[in-house]
Amino acid sequence: MALFEVAGGVHPKDHKELSAYRAILGVPLPAELCLPMHQHIGMAAKPLVQVGDLVSKGQLIGLCAKGCLEGGGSNTAITAPVHASTSGRITGIEMQRAPHPSGLSEIMVMLEPDGADVWGELPAPLDPKTSSFAELVARIQQSGIVGLGGAMFPTAAKLETRTRYDLHSLIINGAECEPYLTNDDRLMREQAPKIVDGISILQHILNVPEVIIAIEDRREQAAEAMRAAIGLREGMKVVLVPTRYPMGSEKHLIKALTGQEVPAGSLPSALGMIVNNVGTAHAIHKAVRYGQPLVSRIVTVSGGAINNPGNFEVLLGTKIGHLVELCGGFSQTPEQMLIGGPMMGVPFSDLEVPVTKGTTGILALTKTEVKPGIHRPCIRCGACIPACPCGLQPQDLFVLVSNEKIEPALEAGLADCILCGACAYVCPSHIPLVQFYHYGKGQALLMRQEVARAKRLKRLADERLLRAEEKARQKKAKQEARKQAIAARKKAQEAQEAQEGEGKA
Amino acid sequence: MSRAKIISAPFTHATTSVPRTMLLVMLALAPATLFSLYQYGWPAIILFFIILASSLLFEALSLLIAKKPVTPFLLDGSAVLTGWLVAMALPPWAPWWIGVLGGFIAIVLGKHIYGGLGQNIFNPAMVARIALLISFPLEMTFFMQPQPLFAEHSPSFMQAMNLIFGGGINIDALTSASTLTQIKVLQFDGQSIEGATGLVGDLQTAMLGALPGSMGEMSALLLIVGGVFLLLMRIISWHTPVAMFASMALIASVAHFFNPAYHPGVLTHLCPGGFVLGAFFIATDYVTQPVSNTGRLIFGAGVGLLTFLIRAYSIFPEGVGFAILLMNAMTPLIDHYIKPRIFGRSKSGEPLASKQPGGGVQ
């Protein structure tokens, strides 16, 4: 299949050789699991269990009250339930530090495994061929499945777009463009038939004739395994895309595969397409065929400071420190620890934070890998412009945001920035550009909220005024009516008196 | 400049840095410079180091006054490179105060007045050259026939010190006008320049470098070698130099075709090193050229055109410096109008049309 040119992008050293040859291993049960109630985009779940409760593996322990258990409706709230990753006892429900750069705390359910690790009562397997769209989407919703490529967007809500848009293509994202990460690569090499089954289920749900599985051209073994698993299935094919960052960005992947650009501010469904990650397809296979909710995911542990890098199937809620220990600990003090890849990952320093549904990798990088530099003034070299995959002028946005000119920055395309970091990667002045864009986007959000708040206040004030006027008018009308009534009565009385007078006379 | 802890990705970086860029440009300049220093002997060497030292001094003073950290900025190499380019743009046997003044104008008036590295509108080295040329036309057009080190007429170290610091230059026998000056004289006299090709020297000498001129005009060939090195190392993009060469070649050949008695041929325009130095090392200055490749094509073409016009119709024999400064002034305008199309938007910035009735809006 002919590919289309995507402008921009960079070629960072991928370091995938550190973990690409390590098969996915299980992880011994840790002493304690720590399950955040907010592992997805949207509303946080609320704990359904109490301290001391015994739970089985796969038992629902967190749900957003507004969450739509029935599913299938067009008003599905954006949220995802949380399940117990193993069987055991709830030892605490407390605020703990979340795996997020803010270091803020959120509600977590602490679970002490009993060691049995047995599944509880699971919903019956579904046959995708005979199940309805609503049944399948509800199953995916109830299984807590979110985008496992790291975005964590509830998958059921994404699939709902079928009811609103005319879809024709499903794109499966196996283009793992972040350096170091090999979790999708290994999953495709080892579990291709299950992934392909998950993809078929997705294809059936979305009722699309075409499925494209995009894999980086350097991941030949993964592509081979997927091709073999696809076999003679119709409408499904593997397409190799150039190994370049950020090829895994869904909008850029679509451009490379179809030559079409998703309009600014729109979703891929605007073009009749929908993009899902290979890991998500795997989770859907397990949820539909076995009724198993999402309780684990594949995580790459890598980086120059890790003794034995590898790929693991990790129970959600496992503390990162447990994984690092499993990898033989650190070979040296890491310069930087990250959740996710080095281009867009989130820094962390507390080994007590847990693996969540969005943890694609855990990296411990050395100084030579991070290459920290002194932040110098911009010399307008323009290296960031050809690097930007979104056609922006990163140096302009930087100047605007650093001068607090948020409105002009938005006009210059700040909202179109995907925060991929390609600009900052090539910047010879080591300017932390993405940090400025994060700030600018944050300020823009505050401005929008402020405008919305002002509008709301104005509306409320207007309504109050209207109500007061209405009340005054009603009062006046009432008074008027009363006056008239009195006048009428008086008249009637007078008339009667006159009549009576006449009568007497 | 800050060392504040970065909390936002990316946490890896390409092997680029400002000092590395500056170092590579100096490396590219080195062959032509060494050859020039050899050809012009001790006076040139002494002047070269006077300019470098004064540039560093003025940089340090400016940083102190601006309350910026001195060491990291001094070590970024930008002041050394600016001084180096000033030296390349001056006559090799100029008196010491021309060199010091050059360093002052470039660093203080050309760069720090605007706010330091990355903030200036005009190329500092060209600001220095043009300011000196207008203020001191005699000293600035005092060109020598090359006197290679250890050759018969080459001044010794002590003689050179005397020459640079003494002020009195009484070596008229060795002075000479540059090729372009000779042409300008003929043009003013209303004489045909056609018969004068022997006078202005042939292409080979121009390429290899044995013609009188500024230090950087010495060897076009070695400058081209340096320029190609910068292109290969991806320090500069091809757009500015190629546009400059192409526009000059086109205009000069058309002019020469219609009036060979007045307009010299293309090679006379391109080969004295001034144009080559300008194309690869001055016009490509990141700070003062447009940021986009399309913008750089316009910029380069503008420099070529203006250089030709100045050389042909003004009182100045050489026009690269003026042309670059004039186009530097156009850079903000070019950058304002030449912008890439944003992904998912039309050229005018509107979101592309959706293929769905609902629009698929997020």
Side-chain angles (χ1 to χ4, degrees):
Chain A
M1 190 172 120
L3 289 178
F4 296 86
E5 178 69 25
V6 182
V10 290
H11 293 96
K13 192 171 181 311
D14 72 9
H15 296 279
K16 300 214 189 219
E17 72 287 350
L18 288 175
S19 56
Y21 305 104
R22 309 294 179 106
I24 298 169
L25 297 176
V27 175
L29 276 176
E32 185 185 51
L33 290 171
C34 182
L35 289 154
M37 288 291 106
H38 197 195
Q39 303 185 35
H40 48 266
I41 288 180
M43 286 179 285
K46 294 209 169 59
L48 296 177
V49 286
Q50 265 143 27
V51 177
D53 282 3
L54 292 176
V55 294
S56 54
K57 179 168 181 161
Q59 183 179 330
L60 183 69
I61 60 165
L63 184 71
C64 176
K66 285 185 188 164
C68 184
L69 263 176
E70 283 72 41
S74 58
N75 295 321
T76 306
I78 295 182
T79 182
V82 181
H83 301 83
S85 307
T86 184
S87 52
R89 196 168 59 89
I90 305 297
T91 55
I93 297 171
E94 50 198 78
M95 298 293 278
Q96 287 248 346
R97 189 180 292 179
H100 187 264
S102 67
L104 292 177
S105 300
E106 57 184 45
I107 294 181
M108 297 201 191
V109 171
M110 316 302 279
L111 171 60
E112 188 186 78
D114 59 12
D117 198 35
V118 283
W119 288 100
E121 200 182 316
L122 293 176
L126 291 176
D127 180 356
K129 292 280 181 289
T130 57
S131 306
S132 70
F133 168 76
E135 273 177 309
L136 289 166
V137 172
R139 170 60 58 86
I140 288 166
Q141 208 282 331
Q142 287 155 15
S143 302
I145 295 174
V146 301
L148 294 180
M152 297 180 279
F153 187 81
T155 304
K158 200 180 212 177
L159 299 179
E160 286 288 346
T161 49
R162 191 200 129 169
T163 58
R164 279 173 286 152
Y165 299 111
D166 185 17
L167 302 176
H168 55 74
S169 296
L170 166 65
I171 292 169
I172 297 296
N173 192 346
E176 202 174 18
C177 59
E178 274 272 12
Y180 294 92
L181 301 185
T182 54
N183 48 317
D184 286 348
D185 178 32
R186 285 308 315 190
L187 190 66
M188 287 189 282
R189 280 156 75 169
E190 299 176 28
Q191 305 288 351
K194 291 180 184 173
I195 298 171
V196 169
D197 182 64
I199 296 171
S200 310
I201 296 170
L202 275 170
Q203 185 182 12
H204 176 73
I205 292 174
L206 295 168
N207 192 23
V208 289
E210 186 189 33
V211 180
I212 302 172
I213 302 164
I215 301 173
E216 282 192 327
D217 54 12
R218 276 195 216 160
R219 315 275 97 80
E220 286 148 9
Q221 283 163 292
E224 213 35 67
M226 291 296 284
R227 273 198 201 103
I230 290 170
L232 296 172
R233 277 170 214 259
E234 266 180 48
M236 202 186 284
K237 64 181 167 190
V238 170
V239 175
L240 295 180
V241 293
T243 304
R244 186 171 64 193
Y245 181 85
M247 192 49 83
S249 149
E250 64 178 13
K251 292 184 178 182
H252 296 90
L253 194 58
I254 288 173
K255 169 93 191 213
L257 293 171
T258 69
Q260 301 183 66
E261 285 184 19
V262 178
S266 297
L267 293 169
S269 46
L271 299 176
M273 297 174 210
I274 200 161
V275 183
N276 273 293
N277 174 266
V278 285
T280 314
H282 184 235
I284 287 171
H285 160 82
K286 289 203 282 191
V288 172
R289 298 286 184 188
Y290 304 101
Q292 292 177 0
L294 182 65
V295 294
S296 68
R297 67 155 297 137
I298 315 297
V299 178
T300 299
V301 185
S302 188
I306 293 280
N307 265 324
N308 303 306
N311 304 288
F312 302 92
E313 179 164 7
V314 186
L315 293 180
L316 300 176
T318 303
K319 287 177 182 171
I320 286 173
H322 184 70
L323 285 179
V324 172
E325 249 172 64
L326 198 67
C327 293
F330 297 123
S331 56
Q332 54 177 286
T333 312
E335 167 79 8
Q336 184 71 56
M337 291 195 290
L338 294 172
I339 293 172
M343 296 299 287
M344 287 186 81
V346 172
F348 75 98
S349 51
D350 185 355
L351 288 170
E352 290 291 297
V353 296
V355 167
T356 68
K357 292 174 183 176
T359 311
T360 49
I362 291 159
L363 302 182
L365 304 179
T366 63
K367 200 163 184 170
T368 36
E369 291 172 305
V370 177
K371 298 202 191 82
I374 306 171
H375 166 190
R376 295 173 186 275
C378 171
I379 53 169
R380 286 174 34 87
C381 68
C384 48
I385 298 171
C388 179
C390 298
L392 300 170
Q393 301 234 67
Q395 90 292 354
D396 258 7
L397 292 178
F398 159 65
V399 171
L400 292 172
V401 172
S402 55
N403 288 306
E404 295 283 346
K405 292 186 175 157
I406 306 298
E407 291 264 358
L410 288 170
E411 273 165 39
L414 181 63
D416 295 295
C417 169
I418 58 166
L419 301 168
C420 70
C423 52
Y425 173 79
V426 297
C427 179
S429 292
H430 285 263
I431 302 172
L433 293 160
V434 178
Q435 197 156 333
F436 283 89
Y437 306 151
H438 270 300
Y439 172 78
K441 280 171 181 265
Q443 291 299 102
L445 181 68
L446 286 180
M447 275 162 52
R448 276 205 306 278
Q449 285 173 345
E450 194 50 47
V451 169
R453 202 178 82 96
K455 261 192 193 153
R456 200 175 128 253
L457 286 180
K458 174 133 192 340
R459 203 193 68 222
L460 290 177
D462 287 351
E463 283 175 4
R464 182 156 173 260
L465 210 67
L466 279 178
R467 273 203 308 275
E469 275 170 16
E470 176 68 25
K471 218 173 178 181
R473 219 182 55 225
Q474 279 177 1
K475 203 173 167 185
K476 216 172 166 188
K478 236 182 213 169
Q479 271 175 354
E480 205 69 25
R482 208 186 306 158
K483 254 187 207 164
Q484 275 173 6
I486 292 171
R489 217 182 308 154
K490 232 179 187 173
K491 226 177 179 179
Q493 216 169 5
E494 274 169 16
Q496 206 178 0
E497 270 167 20
Q499 225 172 32
E500 276 171 18
E502 259 170 47
K504 271 179 191 170
Chain B
M1 186 164 300
S2 80
R3 284 168 190 277
K5 186 76 176 164
I6 304 303
I7 57 154
S8 174
F11 292 97
T12 183
H13 203 277
T15 51
T16 54
S17 75
V18 173
R20 176 179 174 271
T21 303
M22 300 291 171
L23 206 67
L24 286 171
V25 177
M26 288 187 244
L27 210 60
L29 271 175
T33 310
L34 288 174
F35 185 63
S36 274
L37 292 178
Y38 165 75
Q39 284 285 55
Y40 290 118
W42 282 113
I45 296 171
I46 293 166
L47 184 70
F48 183 73
F49 283 103
I50 286 173
I51 298 172
L52 287 200
S54 59
S55 295
L56 278 171
L57 184 73
F58 289 123
E59 173 85 5
L61 285 174
S62 304
L63 290 170
L64 278 177
I65 292 168
K67 297 195 175 67
K68 287 181 182 169
V70 175
T71 328
F73 270 113
L74 264 193
L75 293 181
D76 72 12
S78 66
V80 176
L81 181 59
T82 302
W84 193 322
L85 288 169
V86 171
M88 298 297 271
L90 297 185
W93 286 21
W96 66 273
W97 54 269
I98 285 277
V100 173
L101 209 53
F104 173 78
I105 295 170
I107 298 291
V108 180
L109 302 186
K111 179 172 156 190
H112 280 284
I113 288 283
Y114 293 98
L117 183 63
Q119 301 295 316
N120 47 299
I121 299 170
F122 300 103
N123 180 286
M126 281 306 101
V127 170
R129 177 186 150 82
I130 298 302
L132 289 171
L133 182 66
I134 294 171
S135 312
F136 309 100
L138 186 67
E139 284 82 358
M140 283 298 288
T141 50
F142 187 81
F143 296 122
M144 311 299 302
Q145 280 293 344
Q147 305 296 326
L149 270 178
F150 318 118
E152 195 185 347
H153 293 292
S154 177
S156 69
F157 181 73
M158 285 319 290
Q159 279 174 318
M161 291 294 275
N162 213 11
L163 188 78
I164 297 292
F165 289 100
I169 304 174
N170 53 357
I171 38 167
D172 291 345
L174 302 176
T175 63
S176 174
S178 72
T179 312
L180 291 171
T181 312
Q182 294 174 45
I183 292 172
K184 180 91 320 191
V185 169
L186 292 174
Q187 283 172 339
F188 267 114
D189 288 352
Q191 294 179 33
S192 168
I193 61 165
E194 272 183 298
T197 39
L199 179 77
V200 298
D202 57 88
L203 172 64
Q204 200 183 353
T205 14
M207 287 299 283
L208 294 179
L211 292 178
S214 291
M215 209 162 85
E217 290 179 287
M218 182 47 125
S219 168
L221 192 67
L222 290 177
L223 287 169
I224 290 171
V225 168
V228 169
F229 170 74
L230 289 184
L231 285 172
L232 291 178
M233 296 300 290
R234 297 184 177 210
I235 296 294
I236 60 173
S237 68
W238 58 266
H239 303 79
T240 303
V242 167
M244 248 176 95
F245 283 119
S247 78
M248 174 57 106
L250 184 73
I251 300 160
S253 48
V254 169
H256 181 68
F257 178 79
F258 286 108
N259 191 357
Y262 188 79
H263 293 292
V266 176
L267 292 172
T268 318
H269 271 297
L270 295 182
C271 283
F275 197 78
V276 181
L277 182 74
F280 285 118
F281 294 94
I282 312 282
T284 54
D285 169 21
Y286 292 148
V287 180
T288 55
Q289 73 168 346
V291 285
S292 64
N293 288 338
T294 318
R296 286 170 182 179
L297 286 175
I298 298 171
F299 176 83
V303 173
L305 170 71
L306 288 173
T307 305
F308 174 81
L309 291 178
I310 292 164
R311 280 182 183 176
Y313 302 114
S314 81
I315 57 162
F316 291 98
E318 172 58 299
V320 183
F322 286 108
I324 289 174
L325 289 186
L326 287 169
M327 286 312 289
N328 284 165
M330 300 294 288
T331 294
L333 199 65
I334 296 173
D335 275 346
H336 182 79
Y337 283 107
I338 309 292
K339 283 187 176 162
R341 183 182 65 83
I342 297 173
F343 189 93
R345 289 183 187 273
S346 67
K347 200 75 185 141
S348 60
E350 296 302 311
L352 296 177
S354 169
K355 301 199 170 163
Q356 297 278 348
V361 174
Q362 271 169 354

